[in-house]
Amino acid sequence: MVRPAIGLEVHLHLKTKTKMFCSCALHYGDAPNTHVCPVCLGLPGSLPVANREAVEKGLLLALALGCEIPERTQFHRKNYFYPDLPKNYQISQYDRPIGTGGVLELGEKKIRIRRIHLEEDAGKSLHPEGGEHSLVDLNRAGAPLVELVTEPDIESPEEAREFLRRLQAIARTLGVSDASPEEGKMRADVNVSLRRPDGTLGTKVEIKNLNSFKSVQRALEYEIQRQKKILERGGVVEQATLGFDEKSGKTYLMRTKETESDYRYFPEPDLVPFTISEAWLSELKEEMPELPAERSRRYQEAGVRPYDAEILAYDLELAPFFDAALKTGADPQKLANWLNADVKGYLTQREVTLAETGLTPENLAKLVRLVEAGTITGRVAKEILPEVMQGADPERLVEERGLKAVTDEGAIRALVEKVVAENPQVVEQIKAGKAKAINALLGQVMKATRGTAPPDLVRRLLEEAIGR
Ligand SMILES: [Zn+2]
């Protein structure tokens, strides 16, 4: 089987007050060209000044991913012409990025980060429909970005999507970026090649400007199949840069790749190299909140299975809720089960966020406890969940409606005998070896007790009554 080798290049917009090299405000959605100045317009004689907040946010991300931070870092000019790039070069970083050699964990698996560097964004070209001209909006020109490049350690389209989801959670936890693909604040380029049978990498193909996690997954799925077919025919995969058409779900050729030398990188003469001191780094480390990977370990230490701990730790809405529920002392794994299965199911089905519901950590903990103590059956708990999600106190619901589990064995036995007597055909089937038919009888007893009879007990009494 051929394994794909996938690498990602992710651009994240840094969440700063001003642009990367000037004091223009970072505002999106305002009238075109209202946040511009001589620096970001690239006017002659203007000089850039690096934004300390942007550098710090970039460093925080590099630290969070365990990158090595160099003592000295520097900006370079990357030269190319583009209508929305007024200077005809982009200030970026080349051989002295702010971070190298980090790691992002996908559970047990580690995806290596090759580098993280700072750079500025370009403006935006607009092409009015039916018009014979294009327009340029430079509000985004000079916006601060971090670019993160991974090693080709990702082995499937699903893993690529999961990587992005986790990177988004980390960036948001740190507060360094909104990391919202829908607002263009997180963009990914992917490169993919198929490993040859001897383990070496095949020709690498790049797919540019994917603006949702789903597009990344779809583009990769398509591209892997395309390359497989070429190789199976005995053909050769050409090195190229591709685009992805959302409508057809296919990749298309944009250009054959330019090489690094085409960019004529050279040190930015208007910005001197600068030192990243140990003291500065320790200050930043002190600001660092608990990261999702650490949170996952904490959950696992509390007794949550790795699978559930990972899901909760990277879900920035569920994690604080789970933390609050843990404080009640309810069983951590049981709480995790409810959140990851039933609560999430409720949210997905109704397309709402947890904050839009009335569920409180205390009420979820009460529900877990009621089941744990045998006060109510799991079935009753699931039935009242929608009301608990709307803010109802489960203890009160149970009390008011008499939903406590029936513990009187004699009463259940009488009910069981009645159901058995009323269903001779089903009983015959069970006796003839169709063991599963017992579920029909079980369902009837449960229905008659409104789910308050413990199913295990009902099953045992049914088996006794049928004489098996
Ligand atoms: Zn400016």
Side-chain angles (χ1 to χ4, degrees), residues 19 21-25 35-41 141:
K19 293 187 182 178
F21 300 111
C22 63
S23 55
C24 287
H35 301 291
V36 289
C37 73
V39 176
C40 54
L41 288 175

Side-chain angles (χ1 to χ4, degrees), residues 181-245:
E182 59 280 5
E183 290 179 295
K185 293 180 183 174
M186 183 173 189
R187 309 194 291 266
D189 300 342
V190 303
N191 56 72
V192 53
S193 61
L194 297 183
R195 245 173 235 285
R196 301 190 184 92
D198 64 4
T200 56
L201 291 174
T203 312
K204 190 167 88 174
V205 168
E206 205 177 352
I207 313 170
K208 282 278 196 196
N209 292 328
L210 296 162
N211 46 21
S212 76
F213 297 173
K214 202 172 163 200
S215 306
V216 168
Q217 188 176 344
R218 284 176 67 211
L220 281 169
E221 278 163 1
Y222 177 82
E223 183 56 24
I224 289 166
Q225 287 311 318
R226 190 186 72 89
Q227 292 188 21
K228 257 186 199 164
K229 277 184 204 149
I230 294 175
L231 295 177
E232 277 163 11
R233 280 202 311 262
V236 177
V237 176
E238 304 269 354
Q239 186 176 343
T241 301
L242 308 177
F244 178 65
D245 182 49

